[in-house]
Amino acid sequence: MCRVTGQPLAGRLGVSRRTVERYRAWTLTTPQKRLQATLVEETESEWQPQVRAQARAAAATSRGMMVDVTAYFGFTCTGSSDDGRERQITTDISPTYVKQILELQEAGATEEDLHPIVAEAITESYFTEWGTRADVLRADFTSVSSISFRF
């Protein structure tokens, strides 16, 4: 069985190996302010990339994600009675679109490069309600005031 020593961790935290051992044994439980700040920093640098990668993978394969957009939406559809206007829309988007958006972001796409795919995703989920109505509707957006994604 492999035993992880406290020396590398102690060095990163700027404390002694013995201090790390005391925390592991629960004889010390409340870190000093400096150590607490360092622990938060180390945790974020080590774990957050992994957590973020897991959330992105889940969003692209099964969960999807939320998009929040404030923009001018215009429509193309035979018989559309809804004129274009600025709207604030928060909606789920499907994993299929999430995967495309994440791949484009990783390839260095700008926010403007993402607009067509985001417009398509919003059309599917918000305007056509996953294909249950107005299935020939196409929404484009311009004058984007804000756009954000969350898992």
Side-chain angles (χ1 to χ4, degrees), residues 41 56 100:
E41 188 177 302
R56 290 169 70 94
Q100 292 174 40

Side-chain angles (χ1 to χ4, degrees), residues 72-90:
Y72 183 88
F73 283 84
F75 303 95
T76 306
C77 181
T78 306
S80 174
S81 61
D82 202 1
D83 292 331
R85 65 179 184 273
E86 184 172 271
R87 298 173 185 242
Q88 180 178 358
I89 295 174
T90 301

Side-chain angles (χ1 to χ4, degrees), residues 10 14-15 25 32 34 41 45 71-72 93 98 101 119 127 129 131 140:
V15 297
Q32 298 170 353
R34 180 191 59 77
E41 188 177 302
S45 70
Y72 183 88
I93 58 176
V98 172
I101 290 166
F127 293 110
E129 295 178 356
D140 292 311

Side-chain angles (χ1 to χ4, degrees), residues 9-16 34-35 38:
L9 178 61
R12 291 196 329 250
L13 296 176
V15 297
S16 71
R34 180 191 59 77
L35 178 56
T38 305

Side-chain angles (χ1 to χ4, degrees), residues 2-144:
C2 178
R3 177 168 150 46
V4 178
T5 68
Q7 193 61 46
L9 178 61
R12 291 196 329 250
L13 296 176
V15 297
S16 71
R17 181 182 55 78
R18 183 71 186 125
T19 299
V20 170
E21 289 171 0
R22 283 189 213 130
Y23 279 111
R24 285 183 172 167
W26 292 95
T27 57
L28 284 178
T29 56
T30 308
Q32 298 170 353
K33 287 184 180 185
R34 180 191 59 77
L35 178 56
Q36 188 172 9
T38 305
L39 284 167
V40 168
E41 188 177 302
E42 280 294 316
T43 300
E44 287 177 355
S45 70
E46 188 149 329
W47 290 102
Q48 282 305 309
Q50 294 173 38
V51 169
R52 203 171 294 119
Q54 289 171 354
R56 290 169 70 94
T61 58
S62 60
R63 274 199 341 236
M65 70 180 172
M66 294 290 289
V67 63
D68 185 13
V69 176
T70 302
Y72 183 88
F73 283 84
F75 303 95
T76 306
C77 181
T78 306
S80 174
S81 61
D82 202 1
D83 292 331
R85 65 179 184 273
E86 184 172 271
R87 298 173 185 242
Q88 180 178 358
I89 295 174
T90 301
T91 187
D92 286 312
I93 58 176
S94 73
T96 303
Y97 288 108
V98 172
K99 184 177 182 193
Q100 292 174 40
I101 290 166
L102 294 176
E103 286 173 353
L104 287 170
Q105 283 179 329
E106 288 172 10
T110 65
E111 184 179 293
E112 291 170 356
D113 295 333
L114 299 176
H115 288 180
I117 192 75
V118 173
E120 220 178 287
I122 291 171
T123 299
E124 176 190 69
S125 67
Y126 185 83
F127 293 110
T128 67
E129 295 178 356
W130 309 105
T132 61
R133 67 179 185 93
D135 59 349
V136 293
L137 179 75
R138 181 170 179 260
D140 292 311
F141 61 89
T142 57
S143 305
V144 176

